[in-house]
Amino acid sequence: MPPQSKDKPAHVSKFDHGGRIPPSALDIEEAVLGALMLEKDAYTAVCDLLKPESFYEPANQKIYAAIQSLGAAQESIDMLTVTERLRQNGDLEAAGGPLRISELTGRVVSGAHVEYHARLVAQKYLARELIKFASNIEAQAFDESYDVDDLLQEAEGKLFEISQRNVKKDVTQIDPVINAAIEQIQIAANRASGLSGLETGFHELDKLTSGWQRSDLIIIAARPAMGKTAFVLSMAKNMAVTYNIPVAIFSLEMSNLQLVNRLIQNTCEIEGEKIKSGQLSPVEWDQLMARVKNLFSAPLYIDDTASLSIFELRTKARRLVREHNVSFIIIDYLQLMNASGMKFGSREQEVSMISRSLKQLAKELNIPIVALSQLNRSVENRGADSKDGKRPQLSDLRESGAIEQDADIVCFIHRPEYYMRSGQDAAGNDIRGLAEFIVAKHRSGRVDDVKMRFKSRFARFENWDDNDAPMGQGQRASRLNTDSDVSDFVPAVSSPFTGGTADISGATSATDDAPAPF
C-alpha cells in the first residue's frame, strides 16, 4: 500500500448513533473514483446512480463533484483533468492534493465492476439517509410541541422523497412486450364489445377510447357547474352496477353521505331537493326503493378524506387494489389535493408534483385513474361569438401545464345551454340538455367530441341516443330480486357514513384503522 500523502485529509469517523459509525464503504468509494478516472466510459455507467453526497468521505464528495462537472461538459475525465478542475474550484487541498488523486488511480486495475461498486455506494447513502430520517422523526416525536398529524404528513413526504432516489430503471427486450401486446389484441377481439379497456357505459366515448386503458391518467376538466361530479358518478354507477367493475371514488369536496345522495338522485331519477327534504310522494318512494336495490352490493368504494395528500392516496389506493381488486380510481378533484411534508416554491410546482405522482401511481397499480380538474377563468373571458366561444381549451387547465403533459387523455365537459339561456345556439338549434364531452388530448388515439345528454334535475349523464327508459337495469339488476322485501336493504341505507373508506352498502372503515403503507 503506498505511503499516505501528507496532503491526504485524515478521515474523522462520525459516531452519531450510540457510538456506531453510519453505513459507509470508503475503500469502494475510492475504487469507484479511481475507475472513473481510469476508464473512458465509466462515468456514463454511473452518472444516474451517484451524486456528490452519495459519498461518505467529504474529500471524495469534492472529487466526484469535479468528475460530474467534467462529464456534464462532455470533457475528458482522467487524473490530470480532475486535478485541474479541483484547482479551478478551489477544492484541490480539501480533496487531498494531487498526490491523493494519483493514488486513487493507482489502486484500481480495471473499471470493469464500476457499476456494481457504484450501486453499493448508493445503497450505503440511502441507508444513511434513512438513519437521518428516523433520527429526526424520533426527536420530533419526543417534542410535544409538534402536532402528530403534521409529523405523520412530513414523515410520509420525506420517506417518499427518499424512495424516489432508489427508483430502478429496468430495460426489457422487446419480444415479451410484443407477445403481451398481441395477447391483449386477441382478448379485445374476443370481447363482444370489441374494447380493450374498461367500459364506461357511454358508447360513443368507449368507441373513441376503446375503453379506459390500464395505467392511463385521464384528466376530466370543466368550469364549475358543468357537471364534473355528475359525470363521474354516472360513469361509476355504469361501471360498478352494469359491468361489475370495482370502482373507488376519493371525494375531497363532498362527504360520503352527500355523494351517495347524488348517486340515489342519479339512479332513482328523483330530484335532489326532494331527497334532501324527504318530501317524496308514494310513487316516488316506490321508485326509490325499487331502483336503489341496484346499488346494493355494487363494488363501489368511497373515501371522503378532506385535504387528501398524494402520499395518503398512494397508501389507500394500494390497499383497495389488494383487498378489493379495485380496477378504476376517481379523484374529485385534483386541485384539492396536497403534497404535505414536501416544500415547494409555488402552488404550481406542488400541483405538478401531484400530477406526476398520479401518473406514476396509475403505472404502478396498472389501472386507469381519472382525476377531475378545475379550469381557469379564461373560458369566461372569451366572448361567445369568438372563434372557440366558451369551449374549453388545453391552455385553460388551472395552475399547471404539467397536468396536460402528464395526462394520457385530457377531456373537457361543455354544456352550451349554460351560456345560452335561450336554449338555442346561433343557428337556432335546440341545445337543451346537450353536453359535449371533448377529448382534447389522446396519447394513443384520435381526438373528437362526444355528444351526451345531461339531465340536470337528476345530475345524470346519458348516451345521446338513449331513450327515456330508466337506466341501471344491467347485469347486476338482473341478479337482484326486484320483488324482494325492501326491509332487507333498509338497514344498510340507514348506516352512518362516518368518514374514511366506505363501500356503497354503508359499511365503513375509519381512516385511523387503515393498514400501514405496503
Side-chain angles (χ1 to χ4, degrees):
M1 182 175 178
Q4 187 175 21
S5 165
K6 66 178 181 179
D7 295 324
K8 180 176 179 177
H11 179 78
V12 179
S13 297
K14 303 172 185 176
F15 294 90
D16 296 329
H17 305 279
R20 291 177 294 178
I21 302 175
S24 60
L26 300 183
D27 52 343
I28 295 179
E29 288 185 10
E30 293 181 348
V32 168
L33 294 174
L36 290 173
M37 291 184 285
L38 197 66
E39 293 288 339
K40 179 181 177 182
D41 298 321
Y43 178 73
T44 305
V46 305
C47 60
D48 290 335
L49 298 171
L50 300 176
K51 48 189 175 181
E53 53 266 38
S54 301
F55 293 83
Y56 180 66
E57 167 63 64
N60 293 343
Q61 294 178 5
K62 301 285 186 185
I63 296 170
Y64 186 76
I67 292 172
Q68 191 178 53
S69 65
L70 290 170
Q74 296 185 339
E75 298 179 17
S76 299
I77 299 173
D78 56 37
M79 180 182 67
L80 297 176
T81 56
V82 171
T83 302
E84 182 58 29
R85 182 55 58 94
L86 285 167
R87 184 179 285 111
Q88 292 172 1
N89 295 341
D91 293 330
L92 184 57
E93 295 306 313
L99 182 56
R100 180 161 188 260
I101 306 302
S102 65
E103 288 175 353
L104 291 175
T105 56
R107 294 177 184 178
V108 179
V109 177
S110 168
H113 304 295
V114 65
E115 185 174 355
Y116 175 75
H117 291 156
R119 289 187 183 277
L120 294 177
V121 172
Q123 288 173 4
K124 298 291 185 183
Y125 166 66
L126 283 173
R128 293 196 299 274
E129 287 294 288
L130 285 172
I131 292 171
K132 186 194 301 182
F133 160 75
S135 298
N136 290 337
I137 293 300
E138 180 184 24
Q140 291 172 346
F142 274 110
D143 188 344
E144 295 185 1
S145 65
Y146 278 91
D147 182 81
V148 174
D149 290 334
D150 291 342
L151 186 57
L152 283 171
Q153 292 294 316
E154 181 181 347
E156 196 166 14
K158 183 63 178 176
L159 190 60
F160 174 73
E161 185 181 336
I162 293 173
S163 69
Q164 290 299 98
R165 300 175 191 172
N166 197 35
V167 174
K168 296 179 175 62
K169 299 180 180 179
D170 296 327
V171 178
T172 304
Q173 203 272 336
I174 195 171
D175 290 2
V177 183
I178 292 176
N179 291 333
I182 292 173
E183 183 179 351
Q184 188 178 53
I185 294 170
Q186 290 172 337
I187 292 172
N190 292 331
R191 287 182 179 173
S193 64
L195 303 179
S196 58
L198 302 181
E199 296 181 70
T200 67
F202 297 112
H203 310 315
E204 293 302 317
L205 177 60
D206 288 340
K207 288 179 184 177
L208 181 61
T209 62
S210 291
W212 296 138
Q213 302 295 313
R214 293 186 178 277
S215 80
D216 273 3
L217 173 62
I218 302 119
I219 300 294
I220 299 177
R223 289 292 293 155
M226 283 294 114
K228 296 187 297 295
T229 303
F231 175 80
V232 294
L233 284 180
S234 297
M235 179 173 62
K237 184 201 67 177
N238 293 343
M239 297 174 75
V241 174
T242 306
Y243 302 110
N244 201 31
I245 297 170
V247 177
I249 303 175
F250 289 89
S251 176
L252 286 77
E253 193 172 31
M254 295 184 183
S255 69
N256 281 340
L257 190 56
Q258 288 175 314
L259 210 61
V260 170
N261 279 339
R262 290 282 295 269
L263 263 174
I264 293 172
Q265 176 186 357
N266 181 302
T267 303
C268 302
E269 291 191 286
I270 299 174
E271 295 178 14
E273 292 78 6
K274 292 186 177 182
I275 290 176
K276 290 178 185 175
S277 65
Q279 301 303 308
L280 276 65
S281 68
V283 172
E284 288 171 330
W285 272 112
D286 290 341
Q287 183 173 317
L288 170 66
M289 291 305 181
R291 295 189 185 181
V292 79
K293 295 175 186 178
N294 295 331
L295 295 177
F296 286 101
S297 301
L300 190 54
Y301 306 90
I302 303 171
D303 184 288
D304 65 352
T305 304
S307 190
L308 186 71
S309 75
I310 186 63
F311 314 112
E312 290 176 308
L313 174 68
R314 287 166 62 93
T315 301
K316 293 183 176 188
R318 287 169 176 165
R319 184 183 65 187
L320 284 164
V321 170
R322 182 185 68 179
E323 296 180 1
H324 301 289
N325 198 29
V326 163
S327 303
F328 187 62
I329 288 176
I330 297 169
I331 300 164
D332 183 13
Y333 59 91
L334 188 149
Q335 278 83 7
L336 289 179
M337 295 189 68
N338 64 72
S340 297
M342 300 182 71
K343 295 181 180 180
F344 300 91
S346 67
R347 173 59 180 167
E348 182 177 346
Q349 292 176 354
E350 185 174 15
V351 171
S352 298
M353 184 270 179
I354 293 169
S355 172
R356 185 167 58 253
S357 298
L358 288 177
K359 175 57 185 173
Q360 291 172 349
L361 183 62
K363 282 190 67 178
E364 175 191 334
L365 300 179
N366 195 31
I367 63 173
I369 293 179
V370 163
L372 301 188
S373 175
Q374 293 281 20
L375 295 177
N376 57 42
R377 287 192 170 88
S378 301
V379 177
E380 312 296 340
N381 296 333
R382 288 196 293 269
D385 56 351
S386 64
K387 179 182 177 183
D388 296 304
K390 301 291 188 178
R391 286 169 59 85
Q393 305 170 17
L394 289 171
S395 58
D396 297 328
L397 283 168
R398 184 174 171 184
E399 288 186 313
S400 178
I403 297 175
E404 175 189 349
Q405 175 183 318
D406 296 327
D408 297 280
I409 300 177
V410 178
C411 310
F412 301 116
I413 298 173
H414 177 57
R415 294 195 292 112
E417 70 173 322
Y418 182 84
Y419 298 104
M420 298 177 184
R421 299 298 183 178
S422 64
Q424 294 182 333
D425 62 13
N429 298 315
D430 187 355
I431 56 173
R432 288 174 298 178
L434 171 65
E436 296 176 338
F437 193 83
I438 304 165
V439 180
K441 175 189 175 182
H442 190 187
R443 185 163 284 161
S444 58
R446 62 187 176 90
V447 298
D448 204 349
D449 299 351
V450 176
K451 289 173 65 177
M452 293 184 185
R453 192 180 306 281
F454 179 64
K455 293 186 174 180
S456 58
R457 288 193 306 154
F458 310 132
R460 171 165 142 173
F461 282 78
E462 298 177 354
N463 291 295
W464 179 254
D465 55 358
D466 278 354
N467 57 30
D468 292 331
M471 294 181 66
Q473 305 298 323
Q475 297 172 357
R476 180 168 296 279
S478 65
R479 288 198 297 271
L480 291 169
N481 180 5
T482 56
D483 295 327
S484 58
D485 188 354
V486 170
S487 63
D488 294 341
F489 301 97
V490 171
V493 175
S494 63
S495 296
F497 289 87
T498 57
T501 303
D503 66 26
I504 198 64
S505 64
T508 62
S509 58
T511 304
D512 292 341
D513 296 330
F518 53 90

